[in-house]
Amino acid sequence: MAEKGGKGFSLPKSGKSALKSPASKGKDDSSAKSKRGRKVQFDSEGSLDTNSTKSNGKADIPSFKGDLGKAGKGEKAGSAGKSQKAKALDPLELRVEQELSTKSTCMMDCEAADILQGIQENMVVLSDDPAIKLPVSFDRGLAYGQRIRLYDNPQAVEQILGPLKQHGVSDGELCMIANFPLESVDEVFAFVPSFKNRKSKLRVPLENVLAELTKLRKAA
């Protein structure tokens, strides 16, 4: 028999087979299933519960015990609070002056054009002072101001707009009126949303101001 088996072939010394028996395989499978079948649960206080198992050997997804309905309501209440807060931060107010530095002031286009024109006329004198350096955008700013200006006399415009200050109109709102050729009070109310709650108070003063500004534009 040894010769038929070939060289190097030998039977195991012990009578036990090297292969696992079906019984031992089943025992290993059942132990593996029992390990996989442990169920983890969380009670309302957040403690773990690992005592229960499932007979089918499938692992369960951890379950949470608690009032999920209350959590949903709380989330809705939180989102509602955020939306109300966002609405409160968007009033109908002109925020230009609030965003500017305390040393800055709102200026009409015609007034800014006059100031830039005066700087250009004194450019020869200013260039002798090494402490004065004009930005590269100066020429473009001057050309833009001259192109969009509606009035040649800023002092006359300020005098016409002056009565509106007595009704609480800010400098930024006055500049918006002066920088655009508005022809009716309704256009002003549409263009300056901060006037919405003051329509009855400002209607007559605005009619007078617009009439005077129209005459000033035609004269120019």
Side-chain angles (χ1 to χ4, degrees):
M1 294 295 290
E3 293 178 358
K4 291 182 180 180
K7 296 180 180 181
F9 177 79
S10 61
L11 294 176
K13 296 180 181 181
S14 60
K16 296 182 180 180
S17 174
L19 300 176
K20 293 184 179 180
S21 62
S24 61
K25 182 178 180 182
K27 186 181 298 183
D28 293 341
D29 291 343
S30 61
S31 62
K33 288 181 180 180
S34 63
K35 290 180 181 179
R36 290 197 304 268
R38 297 185 67 184
K39 183 177 180 181
V40 180
Q41 290 184 346
F42 292 86
D43 58 12
S44 59
E45 296 180 355
S47 59
L48 293 173
D49 183 10
T50 58
N51 296 327
S52 59
T53 58
K54 293 188 70 175
S55 58
N56 57 4
K58 296 181 180 180
D60 287 348
I61 298 174
S63 59
F64 297 87
K65 295 180 181 180
D67 195 348
L68 297 180
K70 292 182 179 179
K73 292 180 180 178
E75 186 177 355
K76 292 180 180 179
S79 60
K82 291 181 180 178
S83 61
Q84 292 177 359
K85 186 177 181 180
K87 291 180 179 179
L89 294 177
D90 189 24
L92 292 175
E93 294 181 1
L94 190 64
R95 294 177 172 267
V96 176
E97 296 176 80
Q98 299 177 8
E99 295 175 357
L100 292 176
S101 172
T102 55
K103 298 181 180 180
S104 304
T105 57
C106 292
M107 190 175 296
M108 298 180 296
D109 291 339
C110 58
E111 187 178 5
D114 270 9
I115 294 174
L116 294 177
Q117 182 66 36
I119 294 174
Q120 187 186 44
E121 292 173 356
N122 295 279
M123 190 72 73
V124 177
V125 178
L126 295 174
S127 60
D128 294 337
D129 189 349
I132 300 176
K133 294 182 180 180
L134 296 178
V136 180
S137 59
F138 173 80
D139 293 333
R140 288 182 293 176
L142 175 60
Y144 176 77
Q146 291 176 341
R147 185 174 67 252
I148 65 172
R149 67 181 301 168
L150 298 176
Y151 310 98
D152 294 331
N153 190 348
Q155 290 76 22
V157 178
E158 289 181 357
Q159 187 176 359
I160 293 173
L161 295 174
L164 292 177
K165 288 188 176 182
Q166 300 176 2
H167 299 280
V169 179
S170 65
D171 291 338
E173 293 167 338
L174 293 176
C175 290
M176 293 185 69
I177 297 173
N179 290 343
F180 296 90
L182 304 174
E183 297 180 355
S184 67
V185 177
D186 291 334
E187 287 183 358
V188 176
F189 289 150
F191 192 68
V192 187
S194 54
F195 287 166
K196 181 178 181 181
N197 298 327
R198 295 177 284 173
K199 287 184 178 181
S200 59
K201 181 181 179 180
L202 294 175
R203 182 171 291 276
V204 174
L206 283 173
E207 289 177 353
N208 298 332
V209 167
L210 293 179
E212 295 297 326
L213 290 177
T214 303
K215 293 178 184 179
L216 196 61
R217 287 198 301 271
K218 290 181 178 180

